[in-house]
Amino acid sequence: MTGSDPKTLGRRVKELRREAGMSQSDLAAAMGRSESWVSQVERSVQPVERLSILQALADALNVPVRELRPDAAPVEEAEPEEPQGSNDLDGLRVALTGHPALGSLFDLPPAGPIPSLAEFRQQVDEAWTLTHASSYASLSDHLASLLPSIEAAVRHAPASDRTELHALRAKAYQAAAASFTRQDQADAAWVAADRALQAAELAGQPLEVVASLFRMSHAFMRQQHMEQAEQAATSAVAVMAPRSEAPTCPPEELSLLGAMNLVLSVINAKEGNRGRTHEHIHRAREIAARLGEDRNDFDTEFGPTNVEIHAVSTAVELGDAGLALEVAQHVDASALSPERQSRFLLDVARAHAQRRHVGEATAALLEAEVLAPEQIHDHHLAREVIRDLVQLSEPRIPESLRGLAERSAVG
């Protein structure tokens, strides 16, 4: 199917969804897709060229395919579908499906040349660079190629290389898990985190195992499985906390312990437990003070600044907008990744929205959008606060907020 304007399709999907009285999450559920995918379709970021997907969209909206795209061929006339690119993490989901290197079990040679260890190191670093930049489209393509390659390598490489390959494999899957979580695809995040955990153990890297549990906890939180999230985090803290009392405890281990306490603070905030939330924030502050600097061990970005960012986030979660804004005044997140800076500004916007400060909230979101547009356009919390701000502003919606809502396909 060619010759159609993707912008027209995106607008048409949005119009028909609204006419059907459906939210983006309703349409996503009917399609078996993520809400971020629907948002990207409506923003014309995600192309819909495959007839099967177009038909599924039409079925979910209860309209003929030609209502969506007049030039679409009838099903019986449709030409064979060509593989299409993806602008979210669909390609990575496919790469994660099934056994990661089934051919190796049947002694089949790798499909192509195996990169060197140095090349794998560079590719894994690039995966995390894209993750921290919230560049999910590029990350999907990158990891969809990297993961099968490293899975084949670890099964065919000399024994002397396998330990490091397992460690790199763990880091690559952690990047996948972190990104799936941020894109509201917690089921895939769980799979990726579990594979990271197994690879870390085979590498003989217990701290990488803990880092994988950190990713798994976030995946469980996104699935609203708070008991499992807490179990994953608590199991790590129970082992690491006594070890941290030693003056010689390595900073990398302290970073992971601090990061796990931040996970527990978020879990307790989501459950409305103020006392335990503040207790874990306090513990994380103590650990950050021992470190004395912002670090990025195991790509957690743990340090004094990230602790205060979580203090803002948990205060918002508990409905303490005043405390959140008070803490935020003293936070300088400029040295952290675009993803962390953007998420901090999103929480600032949420706090302002709780106070009905439409202008301040919109300004924070616009600043966050510059830093990490994909995160603001696709994150469920960002879309929620944009919807709230639009409702608060009606009938006189500021043009800057209206534009942000359009770019995020919020309706």
Side-chain angles (χ1 to χ4, degrees):
M1 298 184 308
T2 59
S4 57
D5 183 355
K7 293 184 179 179
T8 301
L9 174 67
R11 287 195 296 268
R12 190 66 181 136
V13 169
K14 184 175 182 179
E15 290 169 359
L16 290 169
R17 173 180 62 77
R18 287 175 166 176
E19 288 174 9
M22 300 174 74
S23 65
Q24 288 180 337
S25 60
D26 291 335
L27 181 54
M31 289 281 296
R33 296 268 180 166
S34 66
E35 188 177 345
S36 66
W37 183 88
V38 173
S39 170
Q40 290 180 355
V41 169
E42 293 187 359
R43 298 199 316 272
S44 305
V45 173
Q46 173 67 54
V48 180
E49 295 294 338
R50 295 174 60 177
L51 183 61
S52 59
I53 298 177
L54 190 65
Q55 183 66 62
L57 256 176
D59 291 344
L61 293 165
N62 197 28
V63 297
V65 169
R66 288 177 183 264
E67 280 287 305
L68 288 173
R69 182 171 287 171
D71 66 340
V75 174
E76 61 272 15
E77 299 176 10
E79 297 179 359
E81 296 176 6
E82 295 293 330
Q84 299 297 323
S86 173
N87 282 308
D88 62 2
L89 296 173
D90 282 352
L92 181 54
R93 284 184 72 98
V94 172
L96 212 64
T97 303
H99 191 281
L102 186 60
S104 299
L105 304 184
F106 293 89
D107 297 323
L108 296 178
I114 295 179
S116 66
L117 278 174
E119 289 171 323
F120 275 129
R121 291 186 202 111
Q122 188 276 328
Q123 290 176 29
V124 171
D125 286 344
E126 175 65 14
W128 272 107
T129 297
L130 293 169
T131 301
H132 288 310
S134 297
S135 297
Y136 300 120
S138 298
L139 177 71
S140 181
D141 292 339
H142 183 71
L143 283 179
S145 171
L146 171 59
L147 290 176
S149 177
I150 201 168
E151 287 286 5
V154 80
R155 290 165 172 82
H156 293 277
S160 58
D161 290 348
R162 289 183 185 174
T163 296
E164 184 173 359
L165 281 170
H166 280 306
L168 290 169
R169 188 164 63 103
K171 292 177 181 177
Y173 275 117
Q174 286 175 32
S179 300
F180 277 127
T181 299
R182 294 168 191 167
Q183 285 275 285
D184 300 329
Q185 300 187 44
D187 57 339
W190 183 357
V191 173
D194 189 58
R195 289 190 183 174
L197 189 152
Q198 294 173 11
E201 184 172 358
L202 288 170
Q205 298 283 344
L207 293 183
E208 288 287 1
V209 171
V210 175
S212 302
L213 285 171
F214 174 79
R215 308 298 168 192
M216 189 173 288
S217 295
H218 281 282
F220 285 138
M221 276 195 284
R222 284 300 305 124
Q223 289 179 310
Q224 300 300 313
H225 294 168
M226 295 303 172
E227 186 175 352
Q228 289 174 278
E230 188 167 17
Q231 169 59 27
T234 301
S235 66
V237 170
V239 172
M240 299 175 71
R243 294 169 53 85
S244 71
E245 296 175 7
T248 55
C249 184
E252 297 84 359
E253 192 165 337
L254 287 174
S255 286
L256 276 179
L257 178 59
M260 281 302 198
N261 272 285
L262 291 181
V263 169
L264 288 168
S265 74
V266 173
I267 291 169
N268 280 280
K270 288 181 178 295
E271 295 184 327
N273 192 326
R274 295 173 183 274
R276 293 189 64 188
T277 297
H278 295 312
E279 177 184 332
H280 287 294
I281 289 289
H282 177 69
R283 289 178 185 172
R285 278 195 178 114
E286 290 181 332
I287 294 168
R290 283 180 64 181
L291 289 172
E293 62 178 346
D294 290 326
R295 299 173 62 94
N296 191 29
D297 299 307
F298 304 96
D299 291 281
T300 61
E301 297 194 76
F302 182 79
T305 303
N306 209 355
V307 172
E308 300 313 312
I309 287 175
H310 277 75
V312 172
S313 181
T314 53
V316 172
E317 204 67 48
L318 292 167
D320 295 334
L323 175 60
L325 294 173
E326 181 181 343
V327 174
Q329 289 180 355
H330 306 287
V331 174
D332 178 5
S334 59
L336 300 185
S337 70
E339 184 276 329
R340 280 283 82 200
Q341 294 181 60
S342 177
R343 181 53 202 268
F344 166 61
L345 288 165
L346 171 54
D347 286 324
V348 170
R350 293 172 67 204
H352 279 301
Q354 287 180 3
R355 287 290 186 90
R356 306 175 74 86
H357 299 162
V358 175
E360 292 88 340
T362 302
L365 287 171
L366 291 172
E367 186 178 349
E369 184 187 30
V370 172
L371 291 165
E374 289 184 59
Q375 174 158 256
I376 296 305
H377 295 162
D378 293 329
H379 199 289
H380 72 106
L381 290 177
R383 289 200 297 275
E384 285 175 12
V385 74
I386 292 169
R387 288 189 191 103
D388 290 344
L389 293 173
V390 168
Q391 291 175 359
L392 286 171
S393 303
E394 288 179 337
R396 297 182 178 179
I397 303 171
E399 283 304 312
S400 57
L401 176 57
R402 190 186 301 278
L404 178 60
E406 286 294 326
R407 292 190 296 278
S408 302
V410 170

